[in-house]
Amino acid sequence: MKNRLLAFTLLGCSIVLVPGCSTFPFKSSGASDISARKTAPAQGLNPQNLPPAPVAAKSELAIPDHPSIDYWVRRYSDKNHKSFQTQLDRACNYVVPAEEIFVRKGLPKELVYVALVESGFSPTARSHANAVGMYQIISKTGTRFGLEQNQYIDERRHPMKAAQAAADYLSFLYDTFKSWPLALAGYTAGENAVQGALDKSGLKDFWALQENGYLPSETRDYVPKVLATVKIIRSPKQYGFHYNPQYYVKKHETVKVPGGVKLAWIEKKTGIPEESLLNCNPELCKPVTPPQCSDYELCVPLGTGDDILTQLASYSPQEEKAEKKVLAASPVAAAPAASYKVRRGDTWTSLSRKYKCSAASLASMNGMKASQPLQVGRTLKLPGKMTATAALPAREASKPLVVAKAKPGKATVSAPAPAKKSAAPVPVAKAKPGKTTVAASAPAKGKAAGAGPKSAHYVVRQGDTLWAIADKFRIPVKTLCTQNDLKPNQKLVPGNSLTVYTSQQEPERVSKKKGN
């Protein structure tokens, strides 16, 4: 009996000790602990503690070790270092708010740099395939993702609306292919092209498609370019770049403006240049808010919104219509628009000299900036048809006008009959923009002929300024303003006529100088 009790006692101790001993070596081995946790989900243990794999992967962008990525990292940081730095500097104006859009949609924030590879962060960029904007969105894709496109507005050029559309498209592509390299390939080539390559090859990986030539060469390079860009962005100093987008300073604000408001009216009322408003709103195809919008969110320089709202409180469309009727009744009509096809070697500066307008106004007329390069073959709008005056070389055009005697039948010079008691009004001939018509005043009684003042009627062209016209006639700007009841900072309207009074001696002096 005692032996049985002893046996039961020893058995009980062994039952107590075995679990305790079994935990000791388990705790002492960290590797075994990690291994057990990794395999737990596969064995069906605690699956609720881990997020679904696709959701976690979708918000992360992994950069693999691949020779093609390394090639583009070297290319950007060496041969293309200067241009890449310029694009990074431009990116600082857009990256922070664009990143917020991508993060809200559950995407990697670095995907905003698709815009760097696509366009160098240029809102008005246009490709040979008519893809438009920072994210180079074609018309069909823009419509698919809600971007409005009509004669007044192209939202593919709106920096943030285009970013939203690009994020939606990339999200759709990832959901389709479950891979960011394949999604990026679909962004540039289209999802049908990528799916076709997968079906034809039987492969399931972008890098395998790339190495086996199942994708176009442009697509094979595109994905490594984007991933190389992200790799540089993550450690810019390592590759010799100066870049910190977190120093972003907001420069603009938005105000709700009624549809159909001309930017020229806002400039007239507030002094904000029309060109500045166009630069803030690259999506506008015309210098007017879209008439179909009851309230349009116009981007304006920071701190000017309240002034615009104050002026809009008294805005009336009838006011602009009345001004339009006055201009229509003017005896001088604006010059018809002309066009020009860009040739190799053309620049904004060379074209502005050729057509006698500023480079900034010419670029703005075509929805671009003067800092952007011209694309060969693109058709540009011009201020108007070239006139005889505009055709002169810049050196000759800057000289004061020398008036020649009119031939019979010519209407450019009007010679009045000798004055009697009162001088008759001087008839003014119609002129084309850029032309100058001169009317010689009748000599006053008792004075030698030609000793009185002479009036010249100059028709304003696109790009003209008061300073330039005053310089042309060698008179002070203040005098020109006084003669035409203008303010020194007033913007000139193409097609309007200015009257300039000059002394008759000045042309004679210049004529003698030319004779020498």
Side-chain angles (χ1 to χ4, degrees):
M1 188 67 180
K2 288 181 179 180
N3 291 334
R4 288 182 179 179
L5 289 172
L6 181 59
F8 278 117
T9 303
L10 292 173
L11 181 61
C13 290
S14 65
I15 292 171
V16 173
L17 289 173
V18 168
C21 294
S22 69
T23 59
F24 183 76
F26 182 77
K27 286 188 176 180
S28 65
S29 175
S32 301
D33 183 29
I34 294 170
S35 176
R37 292 180 187 178
K38 284 186 177 179
T39 56
Q43 297 171 0
L45 300 177
N46 270 341
Q48 69 276 11
N49 292 336
L50 295 174
V55 175
K58 188 174 183 178
S59 63
E60 298 174 1
L61 183 62
I63 309 295
D65 290 327
H66 196 276
S68 61
I69 297 176
D70 295 337
Y71 168 79
W72 285 106
V73 168
R74 290 193 302 271
R75 180 79 174 264
Y76 288 147
S77 56
D78 184 14
K79 185 177 180 179
N80 296 352
H81 187 280
K82 185 177 180 180
S83 61
F84 196 86
Q85 181 65 62
T86 300
Q87 292 169 351
L88 289 179
D89 295 339
R90 195 182 300 133
C92 287
N93 297 318
Y94 309 102
V95 162
V96 171
E99 282 181 341
E100 294 175 0
I101 292 171
F102 278 73
V103 170
R104 281 199 303 268
K105 295 182 181 294
L107 307 180
K109 66 179 182 179
E110 294 101 335
L111 285 179
V112 299
Y113 294 100
V114 163
L116 190 145
V117 177
E118 290 283 0
S119 69
F121 279 95
S122 173
T124 56
R126 180 183 291 272
S127 74
H128 62 278
N130 283 326
V132 171
M134 283 186 186
Y135 293 89
Q136 290 293 276
I137 300 172
I138 62 173
S139 180
K140 185 177 179 180
T141 304
T143 302
R144 177 181 173 186
F145 290 97
L147 296 180
E148 191 171 355
Q149 304 161 64
N150 55 49
Q151 62 177 322
Y152 292 99
I153 188 173
D154 188 344
E155 290 185 336
R156 295 177 295 169
R157 302 195 313 196
H158 191 293
M160 295 305 114
K161 291 183 179 179
Q164 290 177 12
D168 286 337
Y169 190 26
L170 285 165
S171 179
F172 164 80
L173 290 168
Y174 181 86
D175 292 340
T176 301
F177 299 113
K178 308 299 180 186
S179 159
W180 277 123
L182 287 174
L184 290 169
Y187 188 87
T188 184
E191 63 263 33
N192 293 335
V194 174
Q195 188 61 58
L198 291 171
D199 295 341
K200 182 179 180 180
S201 66
L203 302 171
K204 298 182 180 180
D205 178 69
F206 166 79
W207 305 107
L209 292 175
Q210 182 204 48
E211 291 165 7
N212 289 280
Y214 282 99
L215 292 169
S217 59
E218 184 178 349
T219 307
R220 295 199 298 268
D221 284 339
Y222 179 82
V223 176
K225 283 181 180 180
V226 174
L227 297 179
T229 298
V230 174
K231 189 172 183 178
I232 292 172
I233 294 303
R234 289 177 176 176
S235 303
K237 289 184 179 179
Q238 180 182 341
Y239 301 101
F241 294 104
H242 304 283
Y243 182 62
N244 190 346
Q246 300 311 315
Y247 286 132
Y248 169 76
V249 178
K250 189 176 180 181
K251 299 178 181 178
H252 305 101
E253 59 183 309
T254 58
V255 292
K256 289 187 176 181
V257 177
V261 175
K262 294 180 180 178
L263 302 187
W265 181 88
I266 296 177
E267 178 182 6
K268 178 181 177 182
K269 296 295 183 179
T270 65
I272 305 170
E274 180 181 323
E275 185 176 350
S276 176
L277 293 171
L278 283 171
N279 290 337
C280 292
N281 299 271
E283 74 280 5
L284 294 180
C285 301
K286 297 182 178 182
V288 58
T289 58
Q292 68 271 23
C293 299
S294 56
D295 281 320
Y296 185 76
E297 289 193 350
L298 188 71
C299 181
V300 299
L302 194 64
T304 62
D306 289 342
D307 191 14
I308 293 175
L309 290 174
T310 300
Q311 296 299 329
L312 286 172
S314 58
Y315 170 75
S316 171
Q318 301 303 323
E319 179 183 350
E320 286 196 72
K321 289 181 180 178
E323 290 181 0
K324 190 174 182 180
K325 287 181 179 179
V326 170
L327 289 175
S330 174
V332 181
S339 61
Y340 175 82
K341 201 166 190 177
V342 177
R343 301 175 183 176
R344 189 176 298 279
D346 282 339
T347 64
W348 291 115
T349 303
S350 65
L351 293 178
S352 66
R353 289 174 180 169
K354 182 176 180 180
Y355 293 102
K356 302 299 179 291
C357 62
S358 70
S361 63
L362 182 59
S364 176
M365 179 181 293
N366 288 276
M368 298 179 70
K369 296 180 181 179
S371 59
Q372 294 177 236
L374 287 169
Q375 295 178 346
V376 176
R378 175 170 180 172
T379 301
L380 299 179
K381 296 177 184 176
L382 297 176
K385 292 182 178 179
M386 287 198 59
T387 61
T389 304
L392 290 173
R395 184 173 55 186
E396 293 297 325
S398 64
K399 294 179 180 180
L401 181 68
V402 179
V403 183
K405 293 181 179 180
K407 295 180 181 180
K410 294 287 184 178
T412 54
V413 178
S414 177
K420 296 181 180 179
K421 291 185 179 180
S422 60
V426 179
V428 179
K430 291 185 178 180
K432 296 180 180 179
K435 293 264 188 175
T436 307
T437 58
V438 179
S441 302
K445 191 174 182 179
K447 291 185 179 181
K454 183 182 298 179
S455 64
H457 298 274
Y458 180 82
V459 181
V460 177
R461 294 187 298 111
Q462 186 78 24
D464 277 342
T465 63
L466 288 170
W467 183 90
I469 296 173
D471 183 64
K472 179 183 180 69
F473 290 98
R474 302 292 178 88
I475 62 173
V477 175
K478 186 176 181 180
T479 302
L480 180 63
C481 292
T482 302
Q483 293 172 355
N484 292 274
D485 193 22
L486 299 172
K487 296 179 181 178
N489 62 347
Q490 187 165 334
K491 185 177 179 180
L492 298 176
V493 178
N496 282 3
S497 178
L498 298 180
T499 302
V500 185
Y501 294 93
T502 59
S503 63
Q504 191 164 354
Q505 285 78 9
E506 189 165 15
E508 291 176 357
R509 177 171 52 82
V510 175
S511 233
K512 289 178 181 178
K513 188 175 181 181
K514 286 182 69 178
N516 293 336

